[in-house]
């Protein structure tokens, strides 16, 4: 496992990290025992950065992760969770107000069974962009509330997450206290737009975390779920790429993970799985060099469908 600095935070995190959304039965129903084993496999494999959110499974993921962490020494991992996006009784909710995000931090610590959060993120700021006040509220109200908690020693560092790269840049340009950004589906075999923004974030001293190396299922032999927002032409060429990799005896999932962790200027890439065997497999893959000739061939298959608008909408 390789370890890289996350901006100016002082945290040196594993180049492959564990996303705990699966523990909330986001993708399939999961059993707690399996979830506990997945977390243990991640830490035993050298992963030291774990990311979660109260939104995942509408508080379930944090609750299950908290139970899983009871038998793991606190110095073995950095923990990241989020504020702003929630849910109850199957209904998604959003609240980026200072009071709500402050309360949310303490609620998360209780569910997780910890007294300190290494990194707190404002979750998916694009949803605030669509509300009154827009992203300016994140700058003027949400982030200052988290900075206050950082000053009090309740949290270690403050970051933001979003699918839209331009939103992340907009906020960082206007708020010097942001220490990291988390972006997903933008440093993958089919879309490497995040690379265009890394230089900007480096200039600001902001660490970069990538997520979803399989591009939410696009880069998998199983294919995408029905809800996936990618246009059909992109889905088609990614399936062709998956078929090509299978013919070569090299699963596209393996190539995708290896490609996403290969860029040294991105601190880490998050993946999520509640299956301990999948966790161990991904760790093994991430510690090997990709077949760069195959990377080139896959990118040629995907061709002009790279960086399509679904990932920037």
């Amino acid at each position: 496992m390789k370890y890289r600095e996350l901006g100016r935070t002082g945290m040196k995190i594993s180049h492959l990290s564990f996303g705990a959304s699966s523990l909330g039965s986001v993708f399939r129903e999961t059993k707690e025992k399996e979830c506990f084993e997945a977390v243990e496999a991640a830490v035993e494999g050298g992963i030291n950065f774990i990311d979660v959110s109260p939104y995942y499974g509408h508080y379930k993921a944090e609750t299950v992760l908290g139970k899983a962490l009871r038998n793991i020494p606190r110095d073995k991992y950095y923990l990241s969770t989020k504020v702003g996006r929630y849910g109850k009784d199957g209904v998604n909710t959003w609240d980026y107000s200072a009071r709500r995000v402050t309360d949310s931090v303490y609620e998360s610590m209780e569910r997780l069974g910890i007294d300190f959060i290494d990194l707190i993120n404002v979750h998916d700021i694009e949803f605030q962009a669509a509300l009154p006040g827009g992203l300016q509220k994140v700058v003027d109200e949400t982030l200052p509330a988290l900075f206050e908690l950082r000053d009090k020693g309740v949290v270690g560092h403050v970051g933001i997450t979003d699918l839209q790269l331009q939103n992340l840049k907009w906020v960082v340009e206007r708020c010097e206290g942001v220490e990291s950004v988390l972006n997903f589906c933008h440093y993958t075999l089919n879309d490497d737009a995040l690379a265009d923004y890394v230089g900007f974030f480096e200039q600001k001293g902001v660490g970069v975390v990538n997520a979803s190396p399989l591009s939410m299922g696009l880069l998998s032999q199983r294919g995408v779920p029905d809800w996936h927002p990618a246009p059909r032409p992109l889905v088609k060429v990614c399936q062709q790429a998956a078929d090509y990799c299978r013919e070569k005896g090299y699963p596209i999932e393996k190539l995708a993970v290896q490609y996403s962790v290969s860029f040294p200027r991105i601190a880490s890439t998050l993946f999520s799985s509640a299956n301990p065997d999948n966790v161990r497999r991904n760790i093994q893959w991430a510690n090997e060099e990709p077949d760069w000739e195959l990377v080139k061939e896959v990118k040629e298959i995907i061709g002009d469908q790279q960086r399509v608008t679904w990932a920037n909408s």
Side-chain angles (χ1 to χ4, degrees):
M1 188 70 65
K2 299 174 184 175
Y3 298 89
R4 298 168 180 162
E5 298 284 350
L6 181 63
R8 61 175 181 269
T9 66
M11 295 193 297
K12 202 167 186 178
I13 64 176
S14 48
H15 74 310
L16 182 71
S17 297
F18 184 78
S21 59
S22 292
L23 308 189
S25 299
V26 172
F27 307 108
R28 63 175 177 85
E29 282 301 315
T30 55
K31 296 180 179 179
E32 285 195 350
K33 183 177 183 296
E34 182 185 32
C35 293
F36 299 165
E37 291 174 354
V39 176
E40 291 168 1
V43 175
E44 290 172 358
I47 287 176
N48 72 345
F49 184 71
I50 300 173
D51 177 79
V52 69
S53 168
Y55 170 68
Y56 301 146
H58 293 176
Y59 308 109
K60 180 180 178 180
E62 283 191 331
T63 302
V64 174
L65 178 60
K67 294 178 182 179
L69 293 174
R70 288 175 185 170
N71 296 320
I72 299 176
R74 185 63 178 88
D75 62 358
K76 291 291 186 181
Y77 60 89
Y78 293 112
L79 186 60
S80 163
T81 191
K82 307 180 182 75
V83 298
R85 195 173 183 188
Y86 312 100
K88 184 178 181 181
D89 299 326
V91 179
N92 297 332
T93 60
W94 295 264
D95 190 338
Y96 296 85
S97 67
R99 180 175 180 177
R100 182 68 190 101
V101 301
T102 300
D103 290 344
S104 181
V105 168
Y106 289 103
E107 292 166 6
S108 287
M109 287 196 296
E110 184 174 351
R111 282 189 291 270
L112 290 162
I114 58 174
D115 57 10
F116 177 77
I117 294 172
D118 298 287
L119 174 64
I120 190 71
N121 283 301
V122 185
H123 196 177
D124 288 351
I125 58 175
E126 65 186 273
F127 290 100
Q128 175 55 41
L131 298 174
L135 290 179
Q136 194 63 48
K137 182 173 182 176
V138 173
V139 173
D140 294 341
E141 183 175 349
T142 315
L143 285 166
L146 300 180
F147 296 156
E148 185 175 339
L149 292 178
R150 183 177 61 189
D151 293 340
K152 291 179 179 178
V154 177
V155 302
H157 307 282
V158 177
I160 53 178
T161 86
D162 205 339
L163 173 64
Q164 300 185 48
L165 286 158
Q166 62 268 34
N167 285 345
L168 297 172
K169 182 180 180 183
W170 192 95
V171 171
V172 169
E173 287 175 329
R174 292 161 177 79
C175 195
E176 293 183 359
V178 175
E179 298 171 88
S180 69
V181 295
L182 191 162
N183 178 254
F184 54 103
C185 297
H186 280 146
Y187 196 79
T188 65
L189 285 169
N190 67 283
D191 186 335
D192 58 6
L194 178 55
D196 294 341
Y197 288 75
V198 168
F200 166 79
F201 293 128
E202 287 176 337
Q203 290 175 2
K204 298 292 185 178
V206 173
V208 179
V209 177
N210 176 42
S212 194
L214 305 189
S215 201
M216 299 192 299
L218 269 177
L219 303 169
S220 70
Q221 297 178 72
R222 181 175 56 188
V224 299
D226 293 339
W227 51 260
H228 202 289
R232 294 303 97 183
L234 177 60
V235 173
K236 182 178 180 180
V237 295
C238 285
Q239 189 58 58
Q240 290 172 352
D243 293 342
Y244 182 78
C245 287
R246 184 173 61 252
E247 292 170 3
K248 292 283 187 176
Y250 202 116
I252 194 168
E253 295 91 343
K254 176 179 180 178
L255 192 69
V257 169
Q258 292 173 333
Y259 178 78
S260 287
V261 303
S262 68
F263 191 18
R265 294 164 67 190
I266 293 175
S268 188
T269 292
L270 286 160
F271 78 97
S272 185
S273 177
N275 183 323
D277 290 334
N278 288 346
V279 172
R280 296 186 188 97
R281 181 197 63 188
N282 285 343
I283 291 171
Q284 179 181 342
W285 286 347
N287 290 331
E288 301 171 352
E289 277 290 308
D291 181 334
W292 287 108
E293 183 60 32
L294 185 56
V295 167
K296 179 181 177 182
E297 292 167 356
V298 165
K299 283 181 168 289
E300 288 175 349
I301 292 171
I302 296 172
D304 293 339
Q305 291 299 322
Q306 295 185 58
R307 302 195 185 192
V308 291
T309 55
W310 77 271
N312 293 294
S313 60

